[in-house]
Amino acid sequence: MYRAPRGMQDILPDDQPAWQQLIALCEDIAKRYGYRRIDTPIVEATEVFLHGVGETTDVVEKEMYTFRDKGENALTLRPEFTAAICRAYLEHGMAAWPQPVKLYAIGPLFRYDRPQAGRYRQFHQFNVEAIGDADPSLDAEVIDLAGQLFQEAGLTDLDLVVNSIGDEHCRPAYVAALRDYYRRWQDLLCADCRARLERNPLRLLDCKNPTCLRLGEEAPRSLDYLCTPCAAHFQQLAAYLDRLGRRWRIDHRLVRGLDYYTRTVFEYQPTEGGAQSAVGGGGRYDGLIARLGGKPTPGIGFATGLERVLLNRRKAGREEPAPARPLVFVVAIGEETRVEAVALASRLRARGIPTAGPLLSRSPKAQFRQADASGARLAVVLGPEELAAGEATLQFLREDRPPQRVPLAELAPVLLASA
Ligand code: AMP
């Protein structure tokens, strides 16, 4: 038997109400904060991610679905939104729009990762980007948007952790200090970290190996190396966050996995979960647009995995939204009513009434059973007698009310009134 590819899931009809409700919430929050929707292709030129995300990141080194199309173009299934959206910002001359340009996207992403609970190879993100303004109030706005989303999604036990990893002026000294520090403990590092030490020592800070974790606690801290403008930026952000009333703390080891981050990085982590299970996160990427060939342009963004939000909602015992049900179920009795029953169902649907049936391959009894199981509130019964009189019988399936004969011409308004 064929199965969905490993790490990829079908979202079945019973799962859809929770998904659609979450997507509607994301879109509503985006609208309230002034973000407009953008959709980019699911594939991009591989170079967008190579240059954008960075060649020494896990995402680019190990996790991309890259292929050549029949025209020999190197393409990659998008592993994230930010680089793709910045590509679109440049391609469509958005630098000439009023800044910042505030965009959001929702859709599937692909990473060839090791599947486990909450980690998939195809997953979905809600992602926001504010491009073209470096002010820390925007960092605060994006962090606030994320907090508001999680609050309204019913995720209460989340910690907001924040750090600043500096910019191109102050980060080199920090990275050098980090490399010096870890070189002293080289023999204790896991194999991955030993390999990353020279190329990208920042990444050692978020290694989950217990020894590397302990070494990380004593490692030099980026906040101690910030240049004056970066330190001021962080201080202002702190003041905004305090005033917004969102509980937060500094985590010196938070660096996040992608190369393009500068200054602010943040994550929302389940209180008991640990960093690996971050529900969402983001940061500032003031160097990214230039890496993609544009003029230096600041930006800040946030992304959350919809699967992880739903998982955490369920863990928190939040009620699932009710599945959609038809309002009416058309039951046809007798050969001669068949044609009229089909036309009747079509007319009701055209009037905006969710209508199931008729199930003409089944006996009337079986049709009633199906009507019950469908969750419909009403059965609209069409038998020979009704057909002759130009009427239908309304039967209430979940209430103790007598059946009611209604002329076919009045059926839609009567049903709409009882909805
Ligand atoms: P990132 O783009 O890596 O910063 O991830 C942002 C958010 O996307 C994470 O906090 C998760 O909620 C979600 N996420 C990232 N990778 C995966 C994955 N492989 N499976 C499911 N969700 C993911």
PDB file of all heavy atoms in Angstrom, residues 21 37 44 71 133 203 371 373 395 408:
ATOM      1  N   GLN A  21      -9.631  27.344  11.619  1.00  0.00           N
ATOM      2  CA  GLN A  21      -9.820  28.322  12.681  1.00  0.00           C
ATOM      3  C   GLN A  21      -8.492  29.012  13.008  1.00  0.00           C
ATOM      4  O   GLN A  21      -8.437  30.233  13.189  1.00  0.00           O
ATOM      5  CB  GLN A  21     -10.362  27.609  13.933  1.00  0.00           C
ATOM      6  CG  GLN A  21     -10.728  28.554  15.050  1.00  0.00           C
ATOM      7  CD  GLN A  21     -11.024  27.788  16.337  1.00  0.00           C
ATOM      8  OE1 GLN A  21     -10.209  26.999  16.817  1.00  0.00           O
ATOM      9  NE2 GLN A  21     -12.196  28.006  16.887  1.00  0.00           N
ATOM     10  N   ARG A  37      -1.132  40.254   2.911  1.00  0.00           N
ATOM     11  CA  ARG A  37      -0.740  38.904   2.498  1.00  0.00           C
ATOM     12  C   ARG A  37       0.093  38.905   1.221  1.00  0.00           C
ATOM     13  O   ARG A  37      -0.183  39.636   0.274  1.00  0.00           O
ATOM     14  CB  ARG A  37      -1.986  38.041   2.295  1.00  0.00           C
ATOM     15  CG  ARG A  37      -1.631  36.625   1.846  1.00  0.00           C
ATOM     16  CD  ARG A  37      -2.724  35.633   2.100  1.00  0.00           C
ATOM     17  NE  ARG A  37      -2.296  34.331   1.594  1.00  0.00           N
ATOM     18  CZ  ARG A  37      -2.655  33.165   2.124  1.00  0.00           C
ATOM     19  NH1 ARG A  37      -3.454  33.136   3.158  1.00  0.00           N
ATOM     20  NH2 ARG A  37      -2.238  32.033   1.608  1.00  0.00           N
ATOM     21  N   GLU A  44      11.855  28.110  -5.343  1.00  0.00           N
ATOM     22  CA  GLU A  44      12.653  29.292  -5.675  1.00  0.00           C
ATOM     23  C   GLU A  44      13.951  28.792  -6.322  1.00  0.00           C
ATOM     24  O   GLU A  44      14.347  27.634  -6.123  1.00  0.00           O
ATOM     25  CB  GLU A  44      13.049  30.068  -4.407  1.00  0.00           C
ATOM     26  CG  GLU A  44      11.914  30.762  -3.690  1.00  0.00           C
ATOM     27  CD  GLU A  44      11.521  32.112  -4.326  1.00  0.00           C
ATOM     28  OE1 GLU A  44      12.323  32.696  -5.087  1.00  0.00           O
ATOM     29  OE2 GLU A  44      10.391  32.554  -4.057  1.00  0.00           O
ATOM     30  N   GLY A  71      14.709  22.047 -17.613  1.00  0.00           N
ATOM     31  CA  GLY A  71      15.547  23.059 -18.253  1.00  0.00           C
ATOM     32  C   GLY A  71      16.874  23.246 -17.531  1.00  0.00           C
ATOM     33  O   GLY A  71      17.553  24.247 -17.747  1.00  0.00           O
ATOM     34  N   ASP A 133      12.741  49.273   7.912  1.00  0.00           N
ATOM     35  CA  ASP A 133      12.814  50.190   9.045  1.00  0.00           C
ATOM     36  C   ASP A 133      13.576  49.470  10.163  1.00  0.00           C
ATOM     37  O   ASP A 133      13.265  48.335  10.494  1.00  0.00           O
ATOM     38  CB  ASP A 133      11.404  50.553   9.513  1.00  0.00           C
ATOM     39  CG  ASP A 133      11.418  51.741  10.473  1.00  0.00           C
ATOM     40  OD1 ASP A 133      12.256  51.764  11.399  1.00  0.00           O
ATOM     41  OD2 ASP A 133      10.582  52.641  10.304  1.00  0.00           O
ATOM     42  N   ARG A 203      26.760  28.581  16.184  1.00  0.00           N
ATOM     43  CA  ARG A 203      25.860  27.426  16.194  1.00  0.00           C
ATOM     44  C   ARG A 203      26.107  26.488  17.369  1.00  0.00           C
ATOM     45  O   ARG A 203      25.241  25.712  17.735  1.00  0.00           O
ATOM     46  CB  ARG A 203      25.963  26.644  14.877  1.00  0.00           C
ATOM     47  CG  ARG A 203      25.632  27.419  13.635  1.00  0.00           C
ATOM     48  CD  ARG A 203      24.247  28.040  13.720  1.00  0.00           C
ATOM     49  NE  ARG A 203      23.274  27.160  14.359  1.00  0.00           N
ATOM     50  CZ  ARG A 203      22.748  26.126  13.782  1.00  0.00           C
ATOM     51  NH1 ARG A 203      23.021  25.812  12.549  1.00  0.00           N
ATOM     52  NH2 ARG A 203      21.872  25.376  14.422  1.00  0.00           N
ATOM     53  N   ALA A 371     -28.965  10.699   7.296  1.00  0.00           N
ATOM     54  CA  ALA A 371     -29.305  12.077   7.660  1.00  0.00           C
ATOM     55  C   ALA A 371     -28.965  12.322   9.128  1.00  0.00           C
ATOM     56  O   ALA A 371     -28.363  13.343   9.481  1.00  0.00           O
ATOM     57  CB  ALA A 371     -30.782  12.346   7.402  1.00  0.00           C
ATOM     58  N   ALA A 373     -26.765  10.656  10.952  1.00  0.00           N
ATOM     59  CA  ALA A 373     -25.312  10.595  11.142  1.00  0.00           C
ATOM     60  C   ALA A 373     -24.627  11.849  10.626  1.00  0.00           C
ATOM     61  O   ALA A 373     -23.563  12.226  11.114  1.00  0.00           O
ATOM     62  CB  ALA A 373     -24.753   9.363  10.441  1.00  0.00           C
ATOM     63  N   GLN A 395     -38.683  17.692   8.655  1.00  0.00           N
ATOM     64  CA  GLN A 395     -38.629  16.920   9.907  1.00  0.00           C
ATOM     65  C   GLN A 395     -37.431  17.385  10.719  1.00  0.00           C
ATOM     66  O   GLN A 395     -36.317  17.436  10.203  1.00  0.00           O
ATOM     67  CB  GLN A 395     -38.479  15.441   9.590  1.00  0.00           C
ATOM     68  CG  GLN A 395     -39.800  14.798   9.221  1.00  0.00           C
ATOM     69  CD  GLN A 395     -39.685  13.283   9.256  1.00  0.00           C
ATOM     70  OE1 GLN A 395     -38.914  12.729  10.021  1.00  0.00           O
ATOM     71  NE2 GLN A 395     -40.452  12.628   8.407  1.00  0.00           N
ATOM     72  N   LEU A 408     -42.917  24.012  -1.872  1.00  0.00           N
ATOM     73  CA  LEU A 408     -41.529  23.999  -2.359  1.00  0.00           C
ATOM     74  C   LEU A 408     -40.994  25.416  -2.584  1.00  0.00           C
ATOM     75  O   LEU A 408     -39.843  25.706  -2.298  1.00  0.00           O
ATOM     76  CB  LEU A 408     -41.444  23.189  -3.655  1.00  0.00           C
ATOM     77  CG  LEU A 408     -41.572  21.665  -3.462  1.00  0.00           C
ATOM     78  CD1 LEU A 408     -41.568  20.957  -4.821  1.00  0.00           C
ATOM     79  CD2 LEU A 408     -40.452  21.131  -2.572  1.00  0.00           C
TER      80      LEU A 408
END
